[in-house]
Amino acid sequence: EEVFEETMEPVIQDVLMGFESTVFAYGQTGTGKTHTMEGDLSNPELYGIIPRSAEAIFDKLNNEDNHYESFTILCSYLEIYNEELSDLLVADMSSSSGPSPAKARSPPRGRGGTPGGPQGLSIMEGHNGPFCRGLS
């Protein structure tokens, strides 16, 4: 909660003013990046950065005192693991039980985005800076 309040609340204020934002976790394998970003979804006290941010954004937008006539929310969730890109909001179709959300805890196993890979993701340089082509 303290990490969220100190780092994300100012970013959320900027997002609600129309600015785009990127949040990322970087570090060695096993240092807690996934836990920091996702947390434990079974207990709101243990939510990570992503669920806390989503909750805060929707709470502020649903507040009676907001000044928005309309709004559109877009988000993406990109994993870079061993130089492979994975869109974690795309269902993993490789499961025999059908589509299921991809898990950040597991390596991409070929669903990543080397150019021409299964998801077709690639980092590109655009007019406004770098972006990930093909990200949902």
Side-chain angles (χ1 to χ4, degrees), residues 7-21:
T7 61
M8 289 306 302
E9 286 195 352
V11 172
I12 290 170
Q13 291 303 318
D14 289 344
V15 166
L16 293 173
M17 290 177 11
F19 293 96
E20 292 184 12
S21 174

Side-chain angles (χ1 to χ4, degrees), residues 34-113:
T34 299
H35 180 74
T36 299
M37 296 304 278
E38 295 179 359
D40 181 351
L41 297 179
S42 67
N43 182 348
E45 291 182 14
L46 301 177
Y47 281 179
I49 297 294
I50 294 170
R52 287 178 191 270
S53 297
E55 184 176 61
I57 289 168
F58 283 107
D59 284 350
K60 290 177 189 294
L61 291 173
N62 288 323
N63 184 333
E64 294 175 5
D65 298 329
N66 80 42
H67 57 277
Y68 306 103
E69 290 182 24
S70 67
F71 49 86
T72 301
I73 300 171
L74 304 171
C75 71
S76 57
Y77 191 5
L78 174 69
E79 174 184 58
I80 305 172
Y81 183 82
N82 287 336
E83 298 184 25
E84 291 283 324
L85 305 174
S86 297
D87 185 339
L88 298 179
L89 296 180
V90 172
D92 183 359
M93 300 300 285
S94 64
S95 168
S96 61
S97 62
S100 63
K103 296 289 185 189
R105 290 175 194 81
S106 59
R109 292 185 310 276
R111 62 173 209 272

